[in-house]
Amino acid sequence: MKKNIAVIRGDGIGPEIVGEAIAVLSAVADKYGHTFTYTEAPMGGNAIDAFGVPLPESSLEACLASDSVLLGAVGGPKWDSQPPANRPERGLLKLRSAMGLYSNVRPARVFRDLADACPLRADIAAKGIDFVVVRELIGGVYFGEHKTETVDGEQKATDIMAYSEHEVRRIARVAFDMALRRRKRVTSIDKANVLDTSRLWRRVVTEVAAEYPDVELRHMYVDNAAMQMVRDPSQFDVVVTENLFGDILSDEASQITGSIGMIPSSSMGEGTRGLYEPIHGSAPDIAGQDKANPIGTILAAAMMLRYSFDMAAEADDIERAVDETLSAGLRCGDIWQEGTILVGCREMGAEIRKRI
Ligand code: IPM
Ligand code: MG
Protein backbone atom coordinates (compact mmCIF):
# COMPACT_ATOMS: atom_id res chain seq x y z
CA MET A 1 0.00 0.00 0.00
CA LYS A 2 1.02 3.60 -0.63
CA LYS A 3 0.31 6.15 2.08
CA ASN A 4 1.10 9.83 2.32
CA ILE A 5 1.80 10.91 5.89
CA ALA A 6 1.90 14.58 6.85
CA VAL A 7 4.60 15.11 9.45
CA ILE A 8 4.49 17.85 12.07
CA ARG A 9 7.76 17.68 13.95
CA GLY A 10 6.87 20.61 16.18
CA ASP A 11 8.98 22.20 18.92
CA GLY A 12 11.26 21.09 21.75
CA ILE A 13 11.81 17.34 21.67
CA GLY A 14 9.28 17.03 18.80
CA PRO A 15 11.83 16.66 15.96
CA GLU A 16 13.83 13.99 17.85
CA ILE A 17 10.90 11.75 18.74
CA VAL A 18 9.23 12.13 15.35
CA GLY A 19 12.54 11.23 13.65
CA GLU A 20 12.61 7.92 15.53
CA ALA A 21 8.94 7.20 14.78
CA ILE A 22 9.51 7.80 11.06
CA ALA A 23 12.51 5.48 11.10
CA VAL A 24 10.31 2.79 12.68
CA LEU A 25 7.60 3.39 10.05
CA SER A 26 10.20 3.06 7.32
CA ALA A 27 11.39 -0.25 8.79
CA VAL A 28 7.78 -1.47 8.74
CA ALA A 29 7.34 -0.26 5.14
CA ASP A 30 10.44 -2.22 4.07
CA LYS A 31 9.34 -5.38 5.84
CA TYR A 32 5.76 -5.37 4.54
CA GLY A 33 6.34 -3.86 1.10
CA HIS A 34 4.50 -0.57 1.71
CA THR A 35 5.48 2.86 0.45
CA PHE A 36 5.11 5.67 2.96
CA THR A 37 5.86 9.19 1.78
CA TYR A 38 6.30 12.00 4.26
CA THR A 39 5.19 15.59 3.69
CA GLU A 40 6.59 18.10 6.16
CA ALA A 41 3.96 20.39 7.69
CA PRO A 42 5.51 22.97 10.03
CA MET A 43 3.32 23.94 12.99
CA GLY A 44 3.81 25.52 16.40
CA GLY A 45 6.52 27.83 17.65
CA ASN A 46 8.92 26.99 14.82
CA ALA A 47 6.22 27.97 12.33
CA ILE A 48 5.70 31.27 14.18
CA ASP A 49 9.43 31.93 13.82
CA ALA A 50 9.55 30.98 10.14
CA PHE A 51 6.15 32.11 8.83
CA GLY A 52 4.73 34.40 11.55
CA VAL A 53 1.78 32.08 12.29
CA PRO A 54 1.48 28.78 14.21
CA LEU A 55 -0.33 26.95 11.38
CA PRO A 56 0.56 28.20 7.88
CA GLU A 57 -2.07 27.57 5.18
CA SER A 58 0.37 25.29 3.34
CA SER A 59 0.69 23.06 6.42
CA LEU A 60 -3.07 22.82 6.85
CA GLU A 61 -3.40 21.93 3.16
CA ALA A 62 -0.70 19.25 3.47
CA CYS A 63 -2.58 17.70 6.43
CA LEU A 64 -5.93 17.82 4.63
CA ALA A 65 -4.34 16.20 1.55
CA SER A 66 -2.65 13.45 3.58
CA ASP A 67 -3.81 9.95 4.52
CA SER A 68 -2.94 10.78 8.14
CA VAL A 69 -0.90 13.12 10.26
CA LEU A 70 1.92 12.29 12.68
CA LEU A 71 2.68 14.97 15.27
CA GLY A 72 5.46 15.35 17.85
CA ALA A 73 4.62 18.20 20.24
CA VAL A 74 4.25 21.96 20.01
CA GLY A 75 4.91 24.93 22.27
CA GLY A 76 7.57 26.22 24.64
CA PRO A 77 8.46 29.17 26.86
CA LYS A 78 9.99 31.03 23.91
CA TRP A 79 6.48 31.70 22.54
CA ASP A 80 4.68 32.36 25.85
CA SER A 81 4.54 36.08 25.17
CA GLN A 82 2.76 35.65 21.82
CA PRO A 83 -0.72 37.19 21.69
CA PRO A 84 -3.39 34.52 22.51
CA ALA A 85 -4.47 34.24 18.88
CA ASN A 86 -0.93 33.45 17.73
CA ARG A 87 0.29 30.98 20.35
CA PRO A 88 1.65 27.59 19.19
CA GLU A 89 -1.35 25.82 20.79
CA ARG A 90 -3.68 27.78 18.52
CA GLY A 91 -2.13 26.01 15.54
CA LEU A 92 -3.08 22.66 17.05
CA LEU A 93 -6.62 23.74 17.92
CA LYS A 94 -7.14 25.14 14.41
CA LEU A 95 -5.82 21.93 12.87
CA ARG A 96 -8.11 19.72 14.99
CA SER A 97 -11.09 21.83 14.09
CA ALA A 98 -10.27 22.16 10.35
CA MET A 99 -9.77 18.40 10.08
CA GLY A 100 -13.03 17.74 11.98
CA LEU A 101 -11.25 15.59 14.57
CA TYR A 102 -13.93 15.41 17.24
CA SER A 103 -12.83 12.18 18.87
CA ASN A 104 -9.66 12.02 20.93
CA VAL A 105 -8.72 8.64 22.37
CA ARG A 106 -6.11 8.44 25.12
CA PRO A 107 -5.41 5.02 26.59
CA ALA A 108 -4.20 4.73 30.18
CA ARG A 109 -2.65 1.39 30.93
CA VAL A 110 0.27 0.23 32.98
CA PHE A 111 2.90 -1.55 30.89
CA ARG A 112 3.79 -4.99 32.19
CA ASP A 113 7.48 -4.18 32.55
CA LEU A 114 6.81 -0.79 34.11
CA ALA A 115 4.38 -1.70 36.87
CA ASP A 116 6.78 -0.23 39.44
CA ALA A 117 6.47 3.18 37.83
CA CYS A 118 2.82 3.53 38.87
CA PRO A 119 2.76 6.18 41.62
CA LEU A 120 -0.33 4.74 43.30
CA ARG A 121 -0.17 2.47 46.35
CA ALA A 122 0.75 -1.10 45.40
CA ASP A 123 -2.60 -2.58 46.47
CA ILE A 124 -4.44 -0.09 44.24
CA ALA A 125 -2.15 -0.68 41.27
CA ALA A 126 -2.43 -4.45 41.72
CA LYS A 127 -6.13 -4.29 40.82
CA GLY A 128 -5.04 -3.32 37.30
CA ILE A 129 -5.16 -0.05 35.37
CA ASP A 130 -6.40 -0.32 31.81
CA PHE A 131 -8.91 2.25 30.64
CA VAL A 132 -9.39 4.68 27.78
CA VAL A 133 -10.35 8.33 27.92
CA VAL A 134 -12.54 9.36 24.99
CA ARG A 135 -12.43 13.14 24.89
CA GLU A 136 -14.65 15.38 22.76
CA LEU A 137 -12.11 17.52 20.95
CA ILE A 138 -13.62 20.31 18.85
CA GLY A 139 -16.47 21.68 20.95
CA GLY A 140 -17.15 23.14 24.36
CA VAL A 141 -15.34 26.03 25.94
CA TYR A 142 -12.24 25.55 23.78
CA PHE A 143 -14.19 26.66 20.74
CA GLY A 144 -16.74 29.04 22.26
CA GLU A 145 -16.41 32.79 22.12
CA HIS A 146 -13.49 34.20 24.12
CA LYS A 147 -13.32 37.86 25.01
CA THR A 148 -11.75 40.28 27.43
CA GLU A 149 -13.41 43.68 27.83
CA THR A 150 -13.47 46.60 30.24
CA VAL A 151 -16.62 46.80 32.35
CA ASP A 152 -17.10 49.39 35.13
CA GLY A 153 -13.45 50.30 35.05
CA GLU A 154 -12.07 46.78 35.39
CA GLN A 155 -11.23 43.96 32.99
CA LYS A 156 -13.75 41.21 32.52
CA ALA A 157 -13.08 37.97 30.67
CA THR A 158 -15.63 35.56 29.23
CA ASP A 159 -15.32 32.09 27.68
CA ILE A 160 -18.48 30.46 26.36
CA MET A 161 -19.05 26.72 26.77
CA ALA A 162 -21.62 25.35 24.33
CA TYR A 163 -22.61 21.88 23.12
CA SER A 164 -25.20 20.79 20.57
CA GLU A 165 -26.89 17.41 20.67
CA HIS A 166 -25.16 16.10 17.55
CA GLU A 167 -21.74 16.88 19.03
CA VAL A 168 -22.55 14.81 22.11
CA ARG A 169 -24.22 12.00 20.17
CA ARG A 170 -21.30 11.34 17.83
CA ILE A 171 -18.66 11.21 20.59
CA ALA A 172 -20.96 9.04 22.74
CA ARG A 173 -21.16 6.55 19.85
CA VAL A 174 -17.37 6.42 19.66
CA ALA A 175 -17.26 5.54 23.36
CA PHE A 176 -19.96 2.88 23.20
CA ASP A 177 -18.46 1.29 20.07
CA MET A 178 -15.13 1.13 21.84
CA ALA A 179 -16.71 -0.37 24.97
CA LEU A 180 -18.16 -3.18 22.85
CA ARG A 181 -14.59 -4.15 21.95
CA ARG A 182 -13.45 -3.90 25.59
CA ARG A 183 -15.05 -4.64 28.96
CA LYS A 184 -18.41 -3.08 27.99
CA ARG A 185 -18.51 -0.34 30.61
CA VAL A 186 -18.87 3.37 29.83
CA THR A 187 -18.48 6.06 32.47
CA SER A 188 -19.76 9.42 31.23
CA ILE A 189 -18.32 12.34 33.13
CA ASP A 190 -20.03 15.71 33.50
CA LYS A 191 -21.04 18.41 35.96
CA ALA A 192 -24.78 18.03 35.52
CA ASN A 193 -25.45 19.35 39.03
CA VAL A 194 -24.28 22.77 37.83
CA LEU A 195 -23.95 23.11 34.05
CA ASP A 196 -26.60 23.17 31.32
CA THR A 197 -24.11 21.75 28.83
CA SER A 198 -23.67 18.80 31.20
CA ARG A 199 -27.39 18.24 31.59
CA LEU A 200 -27.70 18.09 27.79
CA TRP A 201 -24.64 15.84 27.67
CA ARG A 202 -26.13 13.43 30.21
CA ARG A 203 -29.48 13.22 28.44
CA VAL A 204 -27.96 12.57 25.00
CA VAL A 205 -25.45 10.00 26.31
CA THR A 206 -28.33 8.20 28.05
CA GLU A 207 -30.28 8.16 24.76
CA VAL A 208 -27.31 6.74 22.87
CA ALA A 209 -26.87 4.08 25.57
CA ALA A 210 -30.28 2.69 24.64
CA GLU A 211 -28.76 1.65 21.27
CA TYR A 212 -26.17 -0.45 23.15
CA PRO A 213 -28.04 -2.79 25.49
CA ASP A 214 -24.86 -4.81 26.14
CA VAL A 215 -22.93 -1.84 27.47
CA GLU A 216 -23.35 -0.65 31.04
CA LEU A 217 -23.51 3.15 31.40
CA ARG A 218 -22.68 5.05 34.55
CA HIS A 219 -22.72 8.85 35.02
CA MET A 220 -20.22 10.53 37.30
CA TYR A 221 -19.57 14.14 38.28
CA VAL A 222 -16.18 15.35 37.21
CA ASP A 223 -14.96 16.21 40.72
CA ASN A 224 -15.81 12.73 41.93
CA ALA A 225 -14.22 11.23 38.80
CA ALA A 226 -10.94 13.01 39.52
CA MET A 227 -10.99 11.42 42.96
CA GLN A 228 -12.11 7.95 41.84
CA MET A 229 -9.32 7.85 39.27
CA VAL A 230 -6.69 7.80 41.99
CA ARG A 231 -8.78 5.94 44.57
CA ASP A 232 -9.62 2.95 42.36
CA PRO A 233 -8.80 3.30 38.65
CA SER A 234 -9.65 -0.37 38.05
CA GLN A 235 -13.34 0.63 38.01
CA PHE A 236 -12.93 2.40 34.64
CA ASP A 237 -13.09 0.85 31.17
CA VAL A 238 -14.16 3.59 28.72
CA VAL A 239 -14.47 7.13 30.06
CA VAL A 240 -16.24 9.67 27.85
CA THR A 241 -16.28 13.37 28.56
CA GLU A 242 -16.34 16.87 27.10
CA ASN A 243 -13.32 18.77 25.87
CA LEU A 244 -12.08 20.64 28.98
CA PHE A 245 -12.84 17.87 31.47
CA GLY A 246 -11.13 15.45 29.08
CA ASP A 247 -8.05 17.63 28.89
CA ILE A 248 -7.70 17.58 32.66
CA LEU A 249 -8.68 13.96 33.33
CA SER A 250 -6.51 12.56 30.54
CA ASP A 251 -3.45 14.16 32.13
CA GLU A 252 -4.42 12.65 35.47
CA ALA A 253 -4.99 9.26 33.81
CA SER A 254 -1.61 9.31 32.09
CA GLN A 255 0.18 10.23 35.28
CA ILE A 256 -1.22 7.32 37.25
CA THR A 257 0.29 4.93 34.71
CA GLY A 258 3.65 6.37 35.70
CA SER A 259 4.82 6.54 32.13
CA ILE A 260 3.44 9.60 30.41
CA GLY A 261 6.28 9.38 27.86
CA MET A 262 4.90 6.09 26.59
CA ILE A 263 1.28 6.94 25.86
CA PRO A 264 0.01 7.61 22.35
CA SER A 265 -3.26 9.20 21.30
CA SER A 266 -5.45 9.37 18.24
CA SER A 267 -7.75 12.12 17.06
CA MET A 268 -10.29 11.20 14.42
CA GLY A 269 -13.41 12.49 12.71
CA GLU A 270 -15.77 10.85 10.25
CA GLY A 271 -13.26 9.40 7.77
CA THR A 272 -10.19 7.24 8.24
CA ARG A 273 -7.75 10.14 8.36
CA GLY A 274 -6.49 10.86 11.85
CA LEU A 275 -3.94 12.84 13.78
CA TYR A 276 -1.61 10.77 15.94
CA GLU A 277 0.62 12.11 18.67
CA PRO A 278 2.13 11.20 22.02
CA ILE A 279 0.18 12.75 24.86
CA HIS A 280 3.21 14.37 26.48
CA GLY A 281 4.40 17.87 25.66
CA SER A 282 7.44 19.37 23.98
CA ALA A 283 9.72 19.15 27.08
CA PRO A 284 11.92 22.13 26.12
CA ASP A 285 14.21 21.48 29.11
CA ILE A 286 15.61 18.32 27.53
CA ALA A 287 15.26 19.27 23.85
CA GLY A 288 18.21 18.51 21.58
CA GLN A 289 20.02 16.39 24.20
CA ASP A 290 19.04 12.94 22.91
CA LYS A 291 17.25 12.28 26.22
CA ALA A 292 13.59 12.17 25.15
CA ASN A 293 11.61 8.95 25.19
CA PRO A 294 10.38 8.28 21.61
CA ILE A 295 8.06 5.41 22.62
CA GLY A 296 4.88 7.51 22.89
CA THR A 297 5.38 8.73 19.33
CA ILE A 298 6.36 5.29 18.04
CA LEU A 299 3.19 3.83 19.58
CA ALA A 300 1.22 6.72 18.04
CA ALA A 301 2.60 5.65 14.65
CA ALA A 302 1.42 2.10 15.43
CA MET A 303 -2.06 3.47 16.21
CA MET A 304 -2.01 5.25 12.84
CA LEU A 305 -1.29 1.97 11.07
CA ARG A 306 -4.05 0.20 12.98
CA TYR A 307 -6.87 2.74 12.87
CA SER A 308 -6.25 4.80 9.72
CA PHE A 309 -4.48 2.33 7.41
CA ASP A 310 -6.08 -0.92 8.58
CA MET A 311 -2.63 -2.48 9.02
CA ALA A 312 -3.19 -4.53 12.18
CA ALA A 313 -0.26 -6.94 11.71
CA GLU A 314 2.14 -4.06 11.18
CA ALA A 315 0.81 -2.26 14.27
CA ASP A 316 1.11 -5.44 16.34
CA ASP A 317 4.69 -5.78 15.14
CA ILE A 318 5.61 -2.31 16.42
CA GLU A 319 3.89 -2.87 19.77
CA ARG A 320 5.62 -6.22 20.18
CA ALA A 321 8.98 -4.65 19.34
CA VAL A 322 8.38 -1.99 22.02
CA ASP A 323 7.40 -4.61 24.61
CA GLU A 324 10.49 -6.69 23.82
CA THR A 325 12.76 -3.67 24.04
CA LEU A 326 11.34 -2.89 27.48
CA SER A 327 11.65 -6.52 28.53
CA ALA A 328 15.31 -6.37 27.50
CA GLY A 329 15.69 -3.73 30.22
CA LEU A 330 16.23 -0.68 28.00
CA ARG A 331 14.85 2.57 29.39
CA CYS A 332 14.98 6.28 28.58
CA GLY A 333 15.55 8.68 31.47
CA ASP A 334 11.85 9.22 32.26
CA ILE A 335 11.30 5.55 33.12
CA TRP A 336 14.78 4.53 34.15
CA GLN A 337 15.17 2.66 37.46
CA GLU A 338 18.08 1.03 39.23
CA GLY A 339 18.93 -2.21 37.45
CA THR A 340 17.75 -1.13 33.99
CA ILE A 341 19.85 0.16 31.09
CA LEU A 342 19.71 3.89 30.36
CA VAL A 343 19.55 4.74 26.65
CA GLY A 344 18.96 7.95 24.69
CA CYS A 345 16.25 8.75 22.18
CA ARG A 346 18.24 7.55 19.16
CA GLU A 347 19.36 4.30 20.74
CA MET A 348 15.84 3.51 21.96
CA GLY A 349 14.58 4.03 18.39
CA ALA A 350 17.34 1.81 16.96
CA GLU A 351 16.66 -0.94 19.51
CA ILE A 352 12.96 -0.98 18.63
CA ARG A 353 13.74 -0.98 14.88
CA LYS A 354 16.06 -3.90 15.10
CA ARG A 355 13.24 -5.96 16.63
CA ILE A 356 10.86 -5.24 13.70
C1 IPM B 1 -3.70 18.43 24.92
C2 IPM B 1 -3.05 19.75 25.16
C3 IPM B 1 -3.76 20.80 24.32
C4 IPM B 1 -5.20 20.85 24.78
C5 IPM B 1 -3.13 22.19 24.35
C6 IPM B 1 -1.69 22.13 23.89
C7 IPM B 1 -3.92 23.19 23.56
O1 IPM B 1 -3.05 20.07 26.51
O2 IPM B 1 -3.69 17.96 23.77
O3 IPM B 1 -4.23 17.87 25.88
O4 IPM B 1 -5.52 21.52 25.77
O5 IPM B 1 -6.03 20.21 24.14
MG1 MG C 1 -3.81 18.53 27.75
Side-chain angles (χ1 to χ4, degrees):
M1 272 203 250
K2 282 192 169 55
K3 294 291 178 191
N4 170 24
I5 301 171
V7 175
I8 302 173
R9 294 179 195 265
D11 306 314
I13 59 171
E16 301 163 59
I17 55 180
V18 169
E20 294 312 316
I22 287 181
V24 168
L25 282 173
S26 299
V28 167
D30 285 347
K31 177 167 168 185
Y32 292 86
H34 300 307
T35 306
F36 296 149
T37 52
Y38 305 99
T39 308
E40 299 289 334
M43 185 178 90
N46 65 92
I48 295 173
D49 292 347
F51 306 96
V53 289
L55 180 65
E57 253 341 282
S58 56
S59 293
L60 177 56
E61 277 162 26
C63 292
L64 289 171
S66 72
D67 292 308
S68 258
V69 183
L70 182 67
L71 163 66
V74 296
K78 178 173 176 202
W79 303 283
D80 275 350
S81 56
Q82 286 285 326
N86 213 46
R87 291 180 59 97
E89 294 83 355
R90 282 307 274 266
L92 180 57
L93 296 179
K94 186 173 163 197
L95 182 65
R96 287 172 176 169
S97 174
M99 290 179 70
L101 307 172
Y102 61 82
S103 152
N104 180 221
V105 172
R106 301 184 167 185
R109 75 172 170 107
V110 172
F111 288 78
R112 191 189 51 213
D113 289 289
L114 300 177
D116 289 353
C118 173
L120 298 182
R121 229 170 48 212
D123 60 309
I124 299 176
K127 293 171 80 179
I129 300 174
D130 180 7
F131 63 96
V132 177
V133 179
V134 176
R135 169 187 176 195
E136 198 293 323
L137 201 58
I138 53 175
V141 72
Y142 273 62
F143 291 91
E145 190 196 345
H146 307 283
K147 67 173 182 205
T148 306
E149 61 201 323
T150 305
V151 176
D152 295 336
E154 62 174 354
Q155 294 242 290
K156 177 180 174 187
T158 310
D159 302 283
I160 306 272
M161 181 191 272
Y163 268 105
S164 301
E165 291 177 282
H166 77 275
E167 296 177 288
V168 182
R169 199 170 296 119
R170 64 188 182 186
I171 191 72
R173 292 216 167 97
V174 171
F176 282 97
D177 284 337
M178 180 162 298
L180 283 178
R181 286 179 269 121
R182 296 177 47 99
R183 300 193 304 278
K184 302 192 174 52
R185 288 212 311 265
V186 169
T187 308
S188 173
I189 293 174
D190 62 38
K191 189 72 185 171
N193 48 350
V194 178
L195 302 177
D196 264 50
T197 43
S198 283
R199 285 187 274 268
L200 180 98
W201 179 278
R202 195 174 272 225
R203 174 174 63 74
V204 173
V205 171
T206 305
E207 282 166 20
V208 172
E211 299 166 23
Y212 296 83
D214 295 339
V215 178
E216 176 198 309
L217 168 67
R218 200 167 48 140
H219 299 283
M220 197 180 272
Y221 295 138
V222 62
D223 48 351
N224 184 31
M227 183 177 77
Q228 295 298 333
M229 219 165 249
V230 287
R231 197 188 67 84
D232 178 16
S234 74
Q235 67 186 288
F236 297 110
D237 178 21
V238 176
V239 166
V240 62
T241 191
E242 66 88 40
N243 203 347
L244 180 62
F245 298 161
D247 178 46
I248 298 166
L249 292 177
S250 64
D251 264 29
E252 184 184 2
S254 67
Q255 187 56 42
I256 64 177
T257 69
S259 36
I260 184 164
M262 314 264 307
I263 301 184
S265 81
S266 68
S267 304
M268 299 188 80
E270 289 306 337
T272 58
R273 186 176 49 222
L275 168 72
Y276 297 85
E277 56 181 311
I279 71 154
H280 61 72
S282 60
D285 51 318
I286 57 163
Q289 300 167 38
D290 193 33
K291 281 185 183 161
N293 185 351
I295 292 181
T297 319
I298 289 169
L299 292 176
M303 268 185 130
M304 171 188 291
L305 298 184
R306 188 183 304 285
Y307 296 115
S308 284
F309 301 166
D310 204 17
M311 298 180 180
E314 292 85 335
D316 286 345
D317 212 354
I318 295 179
E319 289 167 1
R320 180 198 41 76
V322 167
D323 280 342
E324 284 178 20
T325 306
L326 293 172
S327 294
L330 299 160
R331 303 280 188 274
C332 287
D334 59 328
I335 48 171
W336 179 83
Q337 285 176 317
E338 204 64 49
T340 61
I341 307 155
L342 182 66
V343 294
C345 183
R346 281 196 294 270
E347 196 178 343
M348 181 58 95
E351 289 288 337
I352 292 167
R353 272 195 312 280
K354 84 179 191 206
R355 292 174 169 85
I356 301 264

